[in-house]
Amino acid sequence: AELTRLIAASAGVQLLERFLPFFPDREYYNFSINAGFFGQIPILQDGNLSLAQSVAIESYVASIAPRYQRLSPQQRAIDLFFASTLEDFIVSCGEPVTLHILNPQKEPDIAKKCESAFEHCLPVLEEHHIPKSGFVNGEDFPTVADLAMLVWVEAGAQFEMAQSLASYDVKAKHPKIASLVRRTKADPAVADYLSQSETFYAKVDFPPSTTFIVG
Protein backbone atom coordinates (compact mmCIF):
# COMPACT_ATOMS: atom_id res chain seq x y z
CA ALA A 1 0.00 0.00 0.00
CA GLU A 2 2.88 2.38 0.63
CA LEU A 3 3.84 2.64 -3.03
CA THR A 4 0.24 3.48 -3.93
CA ARG A 5 0.22 6.24 -1.31
CA LEU A 6 3.47 7.68 -2.68
CA ILE A 7 2.26 7.60 -6.29
CA ALA A 8 -0.97 9.36 -5.40
CA ALA A 9 0.56 11.98 -3.13
CA SER A 10 3.46 12.90 -5.41
CA ALA A 11 1.58 12.74 -8.72
CA GLY A 12 -1.69 14.49 -7.96
CA VAL A 13 -4.31 11.85 -7.14
CA GLN A 14 -6.52 12.32 -4.10
CA LEU A 15 -7.06 9.13 -2.11
CA LEU A 16 -9.39 8.59 0.79
CA GLU A 17 -8.12 5.75 2.93
CA ARG A 18 -10.19 3.43 5.07
CA PHE A 19 -8.37 1.27 7.58
CA LEU A 20 -9.71 -2.20 8.33
CA PRO A 21 -8.46 -4.04 11.42
CA PHE A 22 -6.57 -7.31 11.19
CA PHE A 23 -7.63 -8.40 14.66
CA PRO A 24 -9.81 -9.75 16.15
CA ASP A 25 -12.39 -10.56 13.47
CA ARG A 26 -10.37 -10.13 10.26
CA GLU A 27 -12.69 -7.39 9.04
CA TYR A 28 -10.31 -6.76 6.14
CA TYR A 29 -10.81 -10.37 4.97
CA ASN A 30 -14.59 -10.17 5.03
CA PHE A 31 -14.52 -6.84 3.20
CA SER A 32 -12.32 -8.28 0.47
CA ILE A 33 -14.46 -11.39 0.03
CA ASN A 34 -17.65 -9.33 -0.09
CA ALA A 35 -16.07 -7.09 -2.74
CA GLY A 36 -15.51 -10.15 -4.94
CA PHE A 37 -11.81 -10.72 -4.27
CA PHE A 38 -9.59 -13.19 -2.43
CA GLY A 39 -9.43 -12.01 1.15
CA GLN A 40 -6.42 -9.73 0.73
CA ILE A 41 -6.02 -6.00 1.10
CA PRO A 42 -5.50 -3.41 -0.35
CA ILE A 43 -8.54 -2.79 -2.47
CA LEU A 44 -9.15 0.34 -4.52
CA GLN A 45 -12.56 1.75 -5.38
CA ASP A 46 -13.17 4.48 -7.98
CA GLY A 47 -16.80 4.89 -8.98
CA ASN A 48 -17.97 1.56 -10.34
CA LEU A 49 -14.42 0.17 -10.38
CA SER A 50 -13.24 -2.13 -7.61
CA LEU A 51 -9.69 -3.38 -7.96
CA ALA A 52 -7.41 -5.70 -6.00
CA GLN A 53 -3.73 -6.72 -6.30
CA SER A 54 -1.10 -4.12 -5.45
CA VAL A 55 0.54 -3.74 -8.87
CA ALA A 56 -2.83 -3.39 -10.61
CA ILE A 57 -3.80 -0.67 -8.14
CA GLU A 58 -0.46 1.10 -8.52
CA SER A 59 -0.76 0.97 -12.31
CA TYR A 60 -4.29 2.39 -12.25
CA VAL A 61 -3.43 5.25 -9.89
CA ALA A 62 -0.39 6.10 -12.02
CA SER A 63 -2.52 6.03 -15.18
CA ILE A 64 -4.86 8.73 -13.86
CA ALA A 65 -2.16 10.84 -12.18
CA PRO A 66 -1.83 14.32 -13.73
CA ARG A 67 1.94 14.34 -13.27
CA TYR A 68 2.39 11.21 -15.34
CA GLN A 69 0.15 12.06 -18.30
CA ARG A 70 3.02 12.61 -20.74
CA LEU A 71 4.71 9.28 -19.99
CA SER A 72 5.07 6.94 -22.95
CA PRO A 73 3.93 3.30 -22.99
CA GLN A 74 7.59 2.33 -22.73
CA GLN A 75 8.10 4.45 -19.63
CA ARG A 76 4.97 3.05 -18.03
CA ALA A 77 6.19 -0.48 -18.76
CA ILE A 78 9.48 0.29 -17.01
CA ASP A 79 7.53 1.61 -14.03
CA LEU A 80 5.54 -1.63 -13.88
CA PHE A 81 8.76 -3.65 -14.07
CA PHE A 82 10.03 -1.92 -10.93
CA ALA A 83 6.68 -2.18 -9.14
CA SER A 84 6.42 -5.88 -10.00
CA THR A 85 9.98 -6.56 -8.86
CA LEU A 86 9.21 -4.83 -5.57
CA GLU A 87 6.12 -7.00 -5.19
CA ASP A 88 8.18 -10.14 -5.87
CA PHE A 89 10.46 -9.09 -3.02
CA ILE A 90 7.48 -8.55 -0.72
CA VAL A 91 6.27 -12.08 -1.42
CA SER A 92 9.68 -13.69 -0.91
CA CYS A 93 10.82 -11.63 2.09
CA GLY A 94 8.30 -9.04 3.27
CA GLU A 95 5.49 -11.46 4.04
CA PRO A 96 7.84 -13.81 5.95
CA VAL A 97 8.99 -10.77 7.96
CA THR A 98 5.39 -10.14 8.98
CA LEU A 99 4.98 -13.80 9.97
CA HIS A 100 8.24 -13.59 11.93
CA ILE A 101 6.86 -10.63 13.88
CA LEU A 102 3.67 -12.52 14.68
CA ASN A 103 5.40 -15.78 15.54
CA PRO A 104 9.21 -16.06 15.21
CA GLN A 105 9.05 -19.85 15.40
CA LYS A 106 7.22 -19.94 12.07
CA GLU A 107 10.13 -18.23 10.29
CA PRO A 108 13.33 -19.50 11.95
CA ASP A 109 15.42 -18.82 8.82
CA ILE A 110 14.18 -15.28 8.27
CA ALA A 111 17.66 -13.70 8.08
CA LYS A 112 18.81 -16.07 5.35
CA LYS A 113 15.53 -15.73 3.47
CA CYS A 114 15.73 -11.95 3.47
CA GLU A 115 19.40 -11.87 2.48
CA SER A 116 18.67 -14.21 -0.43
CA ALA A 117 15.80 -11.99 -1.59
CA PHE A 118 17.97 -8.87 -1.50
CA GLU A 119 20.79 -10.58 -3.38
CA HIS A 120 18.42 -11.94 -6.01
CA CYS A 121 17.13 -8.52 -7.06
CA LEU A 122 19.24 -5.57 -6.03
CA PRO A 123 22.58 -6.34 -7.73
CA VAL A 124 20.75 -6.74 -11.06
CA LEU A 125 18.89 -3.47 -10.60
CA GLU A 126 22.07 -1.69 -9.53
CA GLU A 127 24.06 -2.89 -12.52
CA HIS A 128 21.51 -2.74 -15.32
CA HIS A 129 18.60 -0.45 -14.47
CA ILE A 130 19.55 2.33 -12.03
CA PRO A 131 20.94 5.52 -13.65
CA LYS A 132 24.06 7.24 -12.40
CA SER A 133 22.17 10.54 -12.41
CA GLY A 134 18.59 11.68 -12.81
CA PHE A 135 15.58 9.40 -12.60
CA VAL A 136 14.95 5.96 -14.09
CA ASN A 137 12.67 7.16 -16.88
CA GLY A 138 14.78 10.19 -17.76
CA GLU A 139 12.17 12.71 -16.67
CA ASP A 140 12.83 15.69 -14.42
CA PHE A 141 10.57 14.16 -11.75
CA PRO A 142 10.41 10.71 -10.15
CA THR A 143 7.98 8.14 -11.53
CA VAL A 144 6.78 4.83 -10.13
CA ALA A 145 10.17 3.18 -10.70
CA ASP A 146 11.99 5.70 -8.51
CA LEU A 147 9.26 5.61 -5.86
CA ALA A 148 9.46 1.83 -5.74
CA MET A 149 13.16 2.02 -4.94
CA LEU A 150 12.48 4.59 -2.23
CA VAL A 151 9.97 2.24 -0.63
CA TRP A 152 12.38 -0.68 -0.96
CA VAL A 153 15.25 1.11 0.75
CA GLU A 154 13.60 3.29 3.38
CA ALA A 155 10.02 2.25 4.17
CA GLY A 156 9.81 0.95 7.71
CA ALA A 157 7.43 -1.99 7.69
CA GLN A 158 8.92 -5.08 6.09
CA PHE A 159 11.66 -3.30 4.14
CA GLU A 160 13.81 -1.61 6.77
CA MET A 161 13.06 -4.52 9.09
CA ALA A 162 14.22 -6.99 6.44
CA GLN A 163 17.51 -5.12 6.11
CA SER A 164 17.98 -5.26 9.87
CA LEU A 165 17.14 -8.95 10.15
CA ALA A 166 19.47 -9.86 7.27
CA SER A 167 22.21 -7.38 8.29
CA TYR A 168 21.97 -6.10 4.72
CA ASP A 169 22.78 -2.41 4.23
CA VAL A 170 21.27 -1.58 0.84
CA LYS A 171 22.80 1.89 0.65
CA ALA A 172 26.30 0.67 1.46
CA LYS A 173 26.17 -2.24 -0.98
CA HIS A 174 24.45 -0.41 -3.84
CA PRO A 175 25.64 3.20 -4.22
CA LYS A 176 23.63 3.96 -7.38
CA ILE A 177 20.44 2.87 -5.65
CA ALA A 178 21.36 5.00 -2.63
CA SER A 179 21.92 8.05 -4.86
CA LEU A 180 18.63 7.50 -6.68
CA VAL A 181 16.78 7.33 -3.37
CA ARG A 182 18.35 10.62 -2.27
CA ARG A 183 17.28 12.32 -5.49
CA THR A 184 13.78 10.92 -5.20
CA LYS A 185 13.40 12.09 -1.61
CA ALA A 186 14.50 15.58 -2.65
CA ASP A 187 11.56 15.98 -5.05
CA PRO A 188 9.28 18.57 -3.37
CA ALA A 189 6.09 16.51 -3.72
CA VAL A 190 7.79 13.39 -2.35
CA ALA A 191 9.44 15.33 0.46
CA ASP A 192 6.10 16.85 1.43
CA TYR A 193 4.48 13.42 1.59
CA LEU A 194 7.29 11.94 3.67
CA SER A 195 7.18 14.85 6.12
CA GLN A 196 3.49 14.21 6.82
CA SER A 197 3.14 10.44 6.43
CA GLU A 198 2.16 8.41 9.46
CA THR A 199 2.71 5.12 7.62
CA PHE A 200 5.91 5.34 5.57
CA TYR A 201 8.37 4.88 8.44
CA ALA A 202 6.05 2.74 10.60
CA LYS A 203 7.70 -0.43 11.84
CA VAL A 204 4.66 -2.72 11.58
CA ASP A 205 2.16 -2.86 8.72
CA PHE A 206 -0.32 -5.63 9.49
CA PRO A 207 -2.76 -3.94 11.90
CA PRO A 208 -4.60 -2.19 10.37
CA SER A 209 -4.93 -3.10 6.70
CA THR A 210 -6.35 -0.65 4.21
CA THR A 211 -8.59 0.08 1.27
CA PHE A 212 -8.42 3.14 -1.00
CA ILE A 213 -11.18 5.28 -2.49
CA VAL A 214 -10.27 7.70 -5.29
CA GLY A 215 -11.94 11.01 -4.61
Side-chain angles (χ1 to χ4, degrees), residues 87-99 110-111 113-118 158-159 161-163 165-166:
E87 194 65 21
D88 285 346
F89 176 82
I90 292 173
V91 171
S92 61
C93 177
E95 291 178 3
V97 167
T98 300
L99 291 175
I110 188 65
K113 186 173 290 187
C114 287
E115 182 181 13
S116 177
F118 281 123
Q158 298 180 325
F159 303 99
M161 296 172 72
Q163 290 186 65
L165 288 166

mmCIF file of all heavy atoms in Angstrom, residues 87-99 110-111 113-118 158-159 161-163 165-166:
data_model
loop_
_atom_site.group_PDB
_atom_site.id
_atom_site.type_symbol
_atom_site.label_atom_id
_atom_site.label_comp_id
_atom_site.label_asym_id
_atom_site.label_seq_id
_atom_site.Cartn_x
_atom_site.Cartn_y
_atom_site.Cartn_z
ATOM 1 N N GLU A 87 7.140 -6.081 -5.698
ATOM 2 C CA GLU A 87 6.116 -6.998 -5.194
ATOM 3 C C GLU A 87 6.676 -8.417 -5.055
ATOM 4 O O GLU A 87 6.337 -9.133 -4.105
ATOM 5 C CB GLU A 87 4.906 -6.994 -6.124
ATOM 6 C CG GLU A 87 3.671 -7.641 -5.543
ATOM 7 C CD GLU A 87 3.098 -6.916 -4.338
ATOM 8 O OE1 GLU A 87 3.388 -5.711 -4.159
ATOM 9 O OE2 GLU A 87 2.367 -7.554 -3.560
ATOM 10 N N ASP A 88 7.527 -8.837 -5.992
ATOM 11 C CA ASP A 88 8.182 -10.137 -5.866
ATOM 12 C C ASP A 88 8.986 -10.212 -4.567
ATOM 13 O O ASP A 88 8.984 -11.239 -3.872
ATOM 14 C CB ASP A 88 9.118 -10.383 -7.054
ATOM 15 C CG ASP A 88 8.376 -10.722 -8.329
ATOM 16 O OD1 ASP A 88 7.173 -11.018 -8.262
ATOM 17 O OD2 ASP A 88 9.014 -10.684 -9.397
ATOM 18 N N PHE A 89 9.674 -9.120 -4.256
ATOM 19 C CA PHE A 89 10.460 -9.086 -3.021
ATOM 20 C C PHE A 89 9.545 -9.195 -1.801
ATOM 21 O O PHE A 89 9.860 -9.902 -0.835
ATOM 22 C CB PHE A 89 11.280 -7.802 -2.946
ATOM 23 C CG PHE A 89 12.037 -7.647 -1.660
ATOM 24 C CD1 PHE A 89 13.257 -8.273 -1.487
ATOM 25 C CD2 PHE A 89 11.512 -6.892 -0.612
ATOM 26 C CE1 PHE A 89 13.954 -8.143 -0.294
ATOM 27 C CE2 PHE A 89 12.201 -6.762 0.575
ATOM 28 C CZ PHE A 89 13.423 -7.390 0.733
ATOM 29 N N ILE A 90 8.411 -8.506 -1.839
ATOM 30 C CA ILE A 90 7.482 -8.555 -0.718
ATOM 31 C C ILE A 90 7.018 -9.985 -0.480
ATOM 32 O O ILE A 90 6.928 -10.445 0.667
ATOM 33 C CB ILE A 90 6.285 -7.622 -0.973
ATOM 34 C CG1 ILE A 90 6.743 -6.160 -0.939
ATOM 35 C CG2 ILE A 90 5.182 -7.851 0.057
ATOM 36 C CD1 ILE A 90 5.679 -5.176 -1.349
ATOM 37 N N VAL A 91 6.728 -10.700 -1.559
ATOM 38 C CA VAL A 91 6.271 -12.078 -1.424
ATOM 39 C C VAL A 91 7.370 -12.967 -0.847
ATOM 40 O O VAL A 91 7.130 -13.803 0.036
ATOM 41 C CB VAL A 91 5.786 -12.623 -2.780
ATOM 42 C CG1 VAL A 91 5.517 -14.124 -2.699
ATOM 43 C CG2 VAL A 91 4.534 -11.884 -3.227
ATOM 44 N N SER A 92 8.598 -12.789 -1.313
ATOM 45 C CA SER A 92 9.684 -13.688 -0.910
ATOM 46 C C SER A 92 10.297 -13.327 0.433
ATOM 47 O O SER A 92 10.862 -14.184 1.104
ATOM 48 C CB SER A 92 10.775 -13.706 -1.987
ATOM 49 O OG SER A 92 11.325 -12.410 -2.164
ATOM 50 N N CYS A 93 10.170 -12.056 0.836
ATOM 51 C CA CYS A 93 10.817 -11.632 2.085
ATOM 52 C C CYS A 93 9.880 -10.853 2.994
ATOM 53 O O CYS A 93 9.835 -11.090 4.193
ATOM 54 C CB CYS A 93 12.059 -10.800 1.762
ATOM 55 S SG CYS A 93 12.910 -10.154 3.223
ATOM 56 N N GLY A 94 9.125 -9.907 2.434
ATOM 57 C CA GLY A 94 8.297 -9.042 3.267
ATOM 58 C C GLY A 94 7.222 -9.782 4.027
ATOM 59 O O GLY A 94 7.018 -9.557 5.231
ATOM 60 N N GLU A 95 6.530 -10.683 3.350
ATOM 61 C CA GLU A 95 5.490 -11.456 4.044
ATOM 62 C C GLU A 95 6.074 -12.370 5.115
ATOM 63 O O GLU A 95 5.522 -12.472 6.221
ATOM 64 C CB GLU A 95 4.664 -12.228 3.024
ATOM 65 C CG GLU A 95 3.813 -11.307 2.152
ATOM 66 C CD GLU A 95 3.017 -12.054 1.092
ATOM 67 O OE1 GLU A 95 3.073 -13.299 1.068
ATOM 68 O OE2 GLU A 95 2.342 -11.389 0.296
ATOM 69 N N PRO A 96 7.210 -13.056 4.862
ATOM 70 C CA PRO A 96 7.836 -13.811 5.948
ATOM 71 C C PRO A 96 8.254 -12.938 7.127
ATOM 72 O O PRO A 96 8.209 -13.395 8.279
ATOM 73 C CB PRO A 96 9.052 -14.451 5.268
ATOM 74 C CG PRO A 96 8.637 -14.612 3.850
ATOM 75 C CD PRO A 96 7.814 -13.387 3.554
ATOM 76 N N VAL A 97 8.660 -11.673 6.866
ATOM 77 C CA VAL A 97 8.994 -10.771 7.965
ATOM 78 C C VAL A 97 7.772 -10.544 8.845
ATOM 79 O O VAL A 97 7.861 -10.571 10.081
ATOM 80 C CB VAL A 97 9.537 -9.428 7.429
ATOM 81 C CG1 VAL A 97 9.572 -8.376 8.537
ATOM 82 C CG2 VAL A 97 10.930 -9.614 6.851
ATOM 83 N N THR A 98 6.620 -10.327 8.215
ATOM 84 C CA THR A 98 5.390 -10.142 8.983
ATOM 85 C C THR A 98 5.073 -11.378 9.822
ATOM 86 O O THR A 98 4.712 -11.279 10.999
ATOM 87 C CB THR A 98 4.221 -9.824 8.046
ATOM 88 O OG1 THR A 98 4.513 -8.616 7.330
ATOM 89 C CG2 THR A 98 2.927 -9.640 8.830
ATOM 90 N N LEU A 99 5.220 -12.564 9.219
ATOM 91 C CA LEU A 99 4.983 -13.796 9.967
ATOM 92 C C LEU A 99 5.970 -13.940 11.115
ATOM 93 O O LEU A 99 5.621 -14.406 12.198
ATOM 94 C CB LEU A 99 5.085 -15.001 9.032
ATOM 95 C CG LEU A 99 3.966 -15.148 7.992
ATOM 96 C CD1 LEU A 99 4.286 -16.314 7.056
ATOM 97 C CD2 LEU A 99 2.624 -15.352 8.670
ATOM 98 N N ILE A 110 14.570 -16.546 8.881
ATOM 99 C CA ILE A 110 14.180 -15.281 8.275
ATOM 100 C C ILE A 110 15.378 -14.486 7.775
ATOM 101 O O ILE A 110 15.317 -13.847 6.719
ATOM 102 C CB ILE A 110 13.329 -14.450 9.266
ATOM 103 C CG1 ILE A 110 12.768 -13.219 8.572
ATOM 104 C CG2 ILE A 110 14.129 -14.078 10.506
ATOM 105 C CD1 ILE A 110 11.796 -13.524 7.468
ATOM 106 N N ALA A 111 16.489 -14.488 8.499
ATOM 107 C CA ALA A 111 17.658 -13.703 8.083
ATOM 108 C C ALA A 111 18.182 -14.191 6.735
ATOM 109 O O ALA A 111 18.439 -13.392 5.822
ATOM 110 C CB ALA A 111 18.751 -13.783 9.148
ATOM 111 N N LYS A 113 16.554 -15.934 4.504
ATOM 112 C CA LYS A 113 15.532 -15.731 3.474
ATOM 113 C C LYS A 113 15.560 -14.294 2.970
ATOM 114 O O LYS A 113 15.474 -14.044 1.753
ATOM 115 C CB LYS A 113 14.163 -16.078 4.051
ATOM 116 C CG LYS A 113 13.031 -16.049 3.034
ATOM 117 C CD LYS A 113 11.734 -16.575 3.637
ATOM 118 C CE LYS A 113 11.806 -18.074 3.893
ATOM 119 N NZ LYS A 113 10.492 -18.630 4.319
ATOM 120 N N CYS A 114 15.692 -13.349 3.872
ATOM 121 C CA CYS A 114 15.732 -11.947 3.470
ATOM 122 C C CYS A 114 17.016 -11.622 2.705
ATOM 123 O O CYS A 114 16.983 -10.916 1.688
ATOM 124 C CB CYS A 114 15.603 -11.043 4.692
ATOM 125 S SG CYS A 114 13.943 -11.011 5.398
ATOM 126 N N GLU A 115 18.139 -12.122 3.182
ATOM 127 C CA GLU A 115 19.396 -11.869 2.479
ATOM 128 C C GLU A 115 19.343 -12.418 1.054
ATOM 129 O O GLU A 115 19.775 -11.759 0.094
ATOM 130 C CB GLU A 115 20.567 -12.499 3.228
ATOM 131 C CG GLU A 115 21.916 -12.234 2.564
ATOM 132 C CD GLU A 115 23.062 -12.879 3.314
ATOM 133 O OE1 GLU A 115 22.797 -13.731 4.187
ATOM 134 O OE2 GLU A 115 24.222 -12.541 3.025
ATOM 135 N N SER A 116 18.792 -13.605 0.896
ATOM 136 C CA SER A 116 18.669 -14.206 -0.428
ATOM 137 C C SER A 116 17.777 -13.362 -1.335
ATOM 138 O O SER A 116 18.077 -13.183 -2.531
ATOM 139 C CB SER A 116 18.107 -15.619 -0.297
ATOM 140 O OG SER A 116 17.902 -16.201 -1.563
ATOM 141 N N ALA A 117 16.697 -12.820 -0.793
ATOM 142 C CA ALA A 117 15.795 -11.988 -1.588
ATOM 143 C C ALA A 117 16.465 -10.699 -2.028
ATOM 144 O O ALA A 117 16.319 -10.269 -3.179
ATOM 145 C CB ALA A 117 14.529 -11.685 -0.786
ATOM 146 N N PHE A 118 17.215 -10.070 -1.120
ATOM 147 C CA PHE A 118 17.967 -8.872 -1.495
ATOM 148 C C PHE A 118 18.968 -9.189 -2.605
ATOM 149 O O PHE A 118 19.064 -8.470 -3.605
ATOM 150 C CB PHE A 118 18.714 -8.311 -0.279
ATOM 151 C CG PHE A 118 17.859 -7.505 0.658
ATOM 152 C CD1 PHE A 118 17.750 -7.863 1.995
ATOM 153 C CD2 PHE A 118 17.177 -6.383 0.216
ATOM 154 C CE1 PHE A 118 16.976 -7.123 2.871
ATOM 155 C CE2 PHE A 118 16.397 -5.626 1.085
ATOM 156 C CZ PHE A 118 16.295 -5.998 2.422
ATOM 157 N N GLN A 158 8.400 -4.037 6.976
ATOM 158 C CA GLN A 158 8.919 -5.084 6.093
ATOM 159 C C GLN A 158 10.295 -4.734 5.526
ATOM 160 O O GLN A 158 11.242 -5.499 5.673
ATOM 161 C CB GLN A 158 7.954 -5.404 4.950
ATOM 162 C CG GLN A 158 6.612 -5.941 5.402
ATOM 163 C CD GLN A 158 5.682 -6.246 4.264
ATOM 164 O OE1 GLN A 158 5.685 -5.553 3.257
ATOM 165 N NE2 GLN A 158 4.880 -7.284 4.413
ATOM 166 N N PHE A 159 10.446 -3.581 4.894
ATOM 167 C CA PHE A 159 11.658 -3.303 4.135
ATOM 168 C C PHE A 159 12.847 -2.965 5.034
ATOM 169 O O PHE A 159 13.890 -3.615 4.968
ATOM 170 C CB PHE A 159 11.386 -2.176 3.135
ATOM 171 C CG PHE A 159 10.257 -2.494 2.210
ATOM 172 C CD1 PHE A 159 8.995 -1.985 2.438
ATOM 173 C CD2 PHE A 159 10.440 -3.346 1.132
ATOM 174 C CE1 PHE A 159 7.938 -2.295 1.599
ATOM 175 C CE2 PHE A 159 9.394 -3.669 0.290
ATOM 176 C CZ PHE A 159 8.140 -3.141 0.520
ATOM 177 N N MET A 161 12.935 -3.394 8.164
ATOM 178 C CA MET A 161 13.057 -4.518 9.087
ATOM 179 C C MET A 161 13.781 -5.686 8.445
ATOM 180 O O MET A 161 14.573 -6.376 9.088
ATOM 181 C CB MET A 161 11.669 -4.928 9.573
ATOM 182 C CG MET A 161 10.978 -3.849 10.395
ATOM 183 S SD MET A 161 9.266 -4.257 10.766
ATOM 184 C CE MET A 161 9.514 -5.554 11.960
ATOM 185 N N ALA A 162 13.527 -5.913 7.151
ATOM 186 C CA ALA A 162 14.217 -6.991 6.445
ATOM 187 C C ALA A 162 15.710 -6.724 6.375
ATOM 188 O O ALA A 162 16.532 -7.633 6.543
ATOM 189 C CB ALA A 162 13.636 -7.153 5.045
ATOM 190 N N GLN A 163 16.086 -5.467 6.127
ATOM 191 C CA GLN A 163 17.509 -5.121 6.111
ATOM 192 C C GLN A 163 18.151 -5.398 7.466
ATOM 193 O O GLN A 163 19.260 -5.933 7.544
ATOM 194 C CB GLN A 163 17.690 -3.644 5.761
ATOM 195 C CG GLN A 163 17.358 -3.287 4.329
ATOM 196 C CD GLN A 163 17.709 -1.847 4.016
ATOM 197 O OE1 GLN A 163 18.885 -1.458 4.029
ATOM 198 N NE2 GLN A 163 16.699 -1.043 3.738
ATOM 199 N N LEU A 165 17.109 -7.520 9.863
ATOM 200 C CA LEU A 165 17.144 -8.953 10.146
ATOM 201 C C LEU A 165 18.244 -9.657 9.364
ATOM 202 O O LEU A 165 18.887 -10.583 9.871
ATOM 203 C CB LEU A 165 15.790 -9.582 9.818
ATOM 204 C CG LEU A 165 14.640 -9.248 10.773
ATOM 205 C CD1 LEU A 165 13.308 -9.638 10.155
ATOM 206 C CD2 LEU A 165 14.838 -9.951 12.107
ATOM 207 N N ALA A 166 18.475 -9.220 8.125
ATOM 208 C CA ALA A 166 19.475 -9.857 7.268
ATOM 209 C C ALA A 166 20.849 -9.218 7.398
ATOM 210 O O ALA A 166 21.809 -9.679 6.754
ATOM 211 C CB ALA A 166 19.029 -9.798 5.810
#
